[in-house]
Amino acid sequence: MFSKILIANRGEIACRVIHTARRLGIRTVAVYSDADRDALHVALADEAVHIGPAAASESYLSKQKIIAAAQRTQAEAIHPGYGFLSENADFAEAVETAGLIFIGPSPASIRAMGLKDAAKALMERAGVPVVPGYHGDRQEPGFLAEQADGIGFPVLIKARAGGGGKGMRRVDRPEDFAASLEAAKREAKSAFGDDAVLIEKYLVKPRHIEIQVFGDSHGNAVHLFERDCSLQRRHQKVIEEAPAPGMTEEMRSAMGEAAVCAARAIDYCGAGTVEFIADVSGGLSPDRFFFMEMNTRLQVEHPVTEAIAGVDLVEWQLRVASGEPLPKSQDELTINGWAFEARIYAEDPSRGFLPATGTLSRLHFPEGEVRIDAGVREGDSITPHYDPLIAKLTVHAPDRAAALAKLTRGLEQTQVAGTTTNLDFLIRLSRQPDFAAGHPDTGLIDREVEALTSVQQPDDAALAIAAIVEAGGLARADVSDPWLSLGAWQLWGEPSRPVTLHFAGDQRSCRVTVRDHSSFGVAFDDRTIQVRLFANDGGARRVEIDGRQSRVDVFETPAGMTLFLDGQTHHFYRLDPLDGGEEAASGGDRVIAPMPGLVKIVRVREGDTVAKGQALIVMEAMKMELTLTAPRDGIVESLHVGEGDQTSESAVLLSLRPEDAA
Ligand code: ADP
């Protein structure tokens, strides 16, 4: 076994690898960029080496700097985590050339699966079923359009170098093919530096079921069952589970065998995942699953497999990379119970899941019952430089219903303030009836997106508590405990105060009246709510509203306050009357950058007449393409950016004037 390894990654996966290494008595070396000097993974590692600026291309993607860091600290092996260089065959090769061990498969295995088109052809030859489509070399738009016609719409255009759903476009009608092809190629070019695509039949109601495989250097290969990752948005996984609901033993062994066959076809060594798409239009069936791709690394969602199989996959990786045989044979592996994992992101589901940033003034996870894989601590920032994942929450229980109940409860007890998160979306998703009944499919989130992401107005209880906190007035600015600030307010001897609360797209005015030491009346236009606060006993704050007690926590954020009540998160904003936020929110005359990013395409010129909803500017931010549209009909009065410009959050990119005001 190794005595020291370097982890060529950051965030939760670097922390995850460090935990297992530490348990096995292996010393760890972290690497970090300027943005991560004080990051959790750096604090957890035994040693850490600075490798450059925040931009990943100059730090976490720099092969030379990482290998130099390993040599300098005398690490024997490099664990690539996932993302970054984990599936980069040139990196794996350079690591070996430098006399170090790459904790992952051989460069040849990575190459064989690196491009989706070549991988499909290889799998076809190995007798593994693949999705019907064109995965050849020809790339002329006209030829690809003909192929699409031959396959039959809808089709899916995929970047052959793709990953994370990027460079992927569903096309429903022949007339949309050319534009989608162009967009897919552009996204592929910028994400992977390779714009070649393949065309596949688009399965209308599919499930994404993948098999965890593991090989060693002694010619052994096993599978560790399946994961169902059908809950996706924009082709990215949201909640994963293992095993897959409705899976029969017959289908499980057919898929397991196909996956092991894929691994053997490329002499696979280490952890890998063979992704299949299953056509479930007629239920799960052993003759209707198709190979999509193989990921030659550890997956984000590996904890659900660890939970049901009772293994530590990072430990297996370390053992296999150091030359040991697989710890278990196929016969020794069994499924125990059910597991779910939810990915908690800093993002705004109500604004198309736009990635968010911010400083986590509160970060609290339920203790005991759940597994948390986090890459950040309370007080850390989510920056625009990297993936905005905050943590993964994994639960394990004897059966699916119990595990799902645990997932919902775990999410409800998670508290994040200082940024917008997808927690409420995840909670609603965990209760979605089709999913709860064990019928997930990759289109579920899109179909239900309105119900899952609509902004929920705070209820009476949340409004009343927020009003009382807000009424705390001056004392609040320097006392982070709202309960304490109330004492100060009472000293002023005022019987009541008016308060206006601002929350997502709306506001409410009320009057707060002190009744006695700890009870209040909060009067809205049509009703008055009675509130009693209890002293802070052991961290749990309690409040009684109209005769019912709840637990509540309130945290200050730079923009206002975040309140956690009955498993729900409510944000209240303090509006700065000078910042023009109202106009931006009402989508008036300006197009504003929703986040910091790069202007890729400007589709209009000054003086152009545009219609409401028309695409004006394409931005790239957080590795996503965002199309900004005209808030209303008008004429482009001024354009403040050009292609290639970097913009900051809330920058005005373009101004419109009404057509008749010309
Ligand atoms: P990436 O490597 O970018 O993640 P994948 O090939 O793994 O791309 O596909 C990602 C997701 O896209 C799948 O999980 C599935 O939801 C959807 N998908 C892929 N291929 C098809 C297809 N032929 N029909 C319908 N959906 C598909």
Side-chain angles (χ1 to χ4, degrees), residues 87 116 120 131-132 154-168 170 192 198-210 229-237 275-277 290-295 297 441-443:
E87 294 184 283
K116 290 180 202 272
K120 286 220 161 91
V131 191
V155 298
L156 191 64
I157 305 174
K158 277 187 187 179
R160 69 167 184 186
K166 285 179 205 102
M168 194 156 15
R170 168 186 170 161
F192 316 109
L198 49 139
I199 317 286
E200 266 178 17
K201 177 82 193 158
Y202 184 88
L203 305 178
V204 177
K205 197 166 185 184
R207 276 169 61 180
H208 173 121
I209 301 179
E210 57 185 34
C229 310
S230 301
L231 289 188
Q232 306 181 342
R233 52 140 200 108
R234 294 182 46 132
H235 305 300
Q236 299 203 40
K237 298 161 188 166
E275 294 189 336
F276 295 101
I277 189 160
F290 308 99
F291 171 86
M292 265 194 308
E293 64 169 346
M294 178 167 182
N295 292 320
R297 54 169 160 83
D441 71 270
T442 62

Side-chain angles (χ1 to χ4, degrees), residues 161-181:
K166 285 179 205 102
M168 194 156 15
R169 285 285 188 289
R170 168 186 170 161
V171 194
D172 291 316
R173 305 175 310 170
E175 55 268 39
D176 299 333
F177 186 81
S180 297
L181 180 65

Side-chain angles (χ1 to χ4, degrees), residues 210-347:
E210 57 185 34
I211 305 279
Q212 175 73 53
V213 293
F214 230 105
D216 66 18
S217 56
H218 306 272
N220 303 306
V222 298
H223 70 85
L224 292 100
F225 318 109
E226 76 279 4
R227 293 184 284 258
D228 192 310
C229 310
S230 301
L231 289 188
Q232 306 181 342
R233 52 140 200 108
R234 294 182 46 132
H235 305 300
Q236 299 203 40
K237 298 161 188 166
V238 177
I239 292 180
E240 302 96 344
E241 65 183 298
M247 182 64 107
T248 58
E249 263 324 310
E250 184 196 8
M251 180 149 178
R252 176 173 295 133
S253 51
M255 293 187 79
E257 274 164 33
V260 169
C261 168
R264 286 196 191 282
I266 55 168
D267 294 325
Y268 200 76
C269 183
T273 294
V274 183
E275 294 189 336
F276 295 101
I277 189 160
D279 177 3
V280 292
S281 40
L284 276 184
S285 159
D287 59 0
R288 278 203 307 280
F289 68 87
F290 308 99
F291 171 86
M292 265 194 308
E293 64 169 346
M294 178 167 182
N295 292 320
T296 53
R297 54 169 160 83
L298 193 68
Q299 301 266 102
V300 178
E301 60 275 20
H302 74 275
V304 292
T305 297
E306 296 187 320
I308 61 154
V311 302
D312 178 335
L313 290 172
V314 173
E315 175 177 346
W316 279 38
Q317 286 189 299
L318 295 169
R319 293 200 180 286
V320 162
S322 69
E324 293 180 30
L326 287 177
K328 285 188 176 180
S329 66
Q330 193 68 64
D331 295 344
E332 291 167 328
L333 288 162
T334 51
I335 296 181
N336 171 22
W338 211 283
F340 286 96
E341 176 194 270
R343 304 184 183 194
I344 302 169
Y345 278 101
E347 64 182 13

